[in-house]
Amino acid sequence: MPHTYVLTIPKYTLYSYFRSLCLARLRIVLALKGVSYYILPINLLKNKQYSEAHTSLNPSALVPLLCHKTLGRYIKIEQSIAAMEYLDELHPQHPLLLPTLDAAARAKVCVLVNIISSNVQSITNLRWYSIGNEIIMADIYLILAIWNAKRYGVKLYDFPMIAWVINALKKHFTIINAHWRNQIDMPDELRYS
């Protein structure tokens, strides 16, 4: 099976994982626009996204990563929505955001994209925490901010991606042990409230 969709010499490299929905999006967009690209496979099941070669290009250690060689520059785009918008601007054939003069229709497309991206896809990713499957400093700050936000009645369902990360974090033993309700100096009157 070929790893290159060739119409001309590729100026794009797509760091790819075969089952990634984000990458399927980009493969569809590139094909719709008739843009040639080279696929460089990154096997997530073998943790290849954490390789030095990949993280030197993409410190978040995620896929997709779309790279574009143009005018002596090497442009790296690490998110599928941003990559789709980039491709749409550079290759206006078959516009993805609808005709340029209809701002309301374009806004509606963006709303639908964000609903699907935030509310549907997150449950199918390998990612458990903010970046990858290891707790990082950002996760620690996030969980603490959420503990405080809950005291003031903030509804997490308004923030589906944050809710996804929080649901994973709150099951981790280090987070459970650090929760204020589990501290030996917590007053009894708060412990059962």
Side-chain angles (χ1 to χ4, degrees):
M1 176 174 265
H3 290 292
T4 306
Y5 178 82
V6 178
L7 293 177
T8 61
I9 296 172
K11 294 181 181 177
Y12 292 93
T13 301
L14 188 58
Y15 291 78
S16 183
Y17 176 65
F18 70 99
R19 282 195 286 207
S20 168
L21 299 179
C22 296
L23 281 147
R25 272 185 218 134
L26 289 176
R27 289 190 299 264
I28 291 167
V29 168
L30 288 160
L32 282 172
K33 292 183 170 292
V35 175
S36 61
Y37 61 97
Y38 177 75
I39 291 179
L40 188 64
I42 304 293
N43 191 330
L44 303 184
L45 297 176
K46 294 183 178 178
N47 292 320
K48 296 298 183 184
Q49 71 272 28
Y50 300 116
S51 72
E52 186 176 330
H54 187 65
T55 57
S56 68
L57 290 171
N58 186 0
S60 68
L62 299 173
V63 292
L65 173 62
L66 179 70
C67 295
H68 181 206
K69 293 178 188 174
T70 180
L71 303 173
R73 294 173 46 201
Y74 198 63
I75 312 238
K76 300 179 288 188
I77 305 168
E78 297 129 355
Q79 293 290 323
S80 63
I81 294 172
M84 290 168 69
E85 290 177 4
Y86 178 81
L87 291 166
D88 212 34
E89 287 187 29
L90 291 182
H91 306 280
Q93 65 276 24
H94 195 86
L96 301 171
L97 291 175
L98 299 177
T100 56
L101 297 178
D102 192 346
R106 286 194 351 240
K108 186 66 172 175
V109 169
C110 289
V111 166
L112 291 172
V113 165
N114 282 299
I115 287 170
I116 293 167
S117 174
S118 298
N119 295 344
V120 176
Q121 186 183 338
S122 62
I123 61 171
T124 65
N125 282 339
L126 291 175
R127 186 173 84 185
W128 298 345
Y129 306 117
S130 295
I131 297 176
N133 59 6
E134 298 290 330
I135 293 176
I136 61 169
M137 190 183 314
D139 293 315
I140 295 166
Y141 278 84
L142 178 63
I143 193 75
L144 299 176
I146 293 302
W147 290 348
N148 210 29
K150 282 184 161 186
R151 290 179 48 216
Y152 295 100
V154 174
K155 305 291 186 225
L156 283 182
Y157 57 80
D158 290 337
F159 309 96
M161 291 303 292
I162 291 174
W164 171 261
V165 172
I166 294 303
N167 283 334
L169 282 169
K170 71 182 184 180
K171 297 172 188 168
H172 197 279
F173 75 95
T174 60
I175 303 299
I176 293 168
N177 291 340
H179 194 280
W180 58 268
R181 287 190 183 272
N182 297 324
Q183 303 312 302
I184 60 170
D185 58 338
M186 186 183 140
D188 285 337
E189 63 270 13
L190 295 177
R191 191 173 303 275
Y192 305 105
S193 61

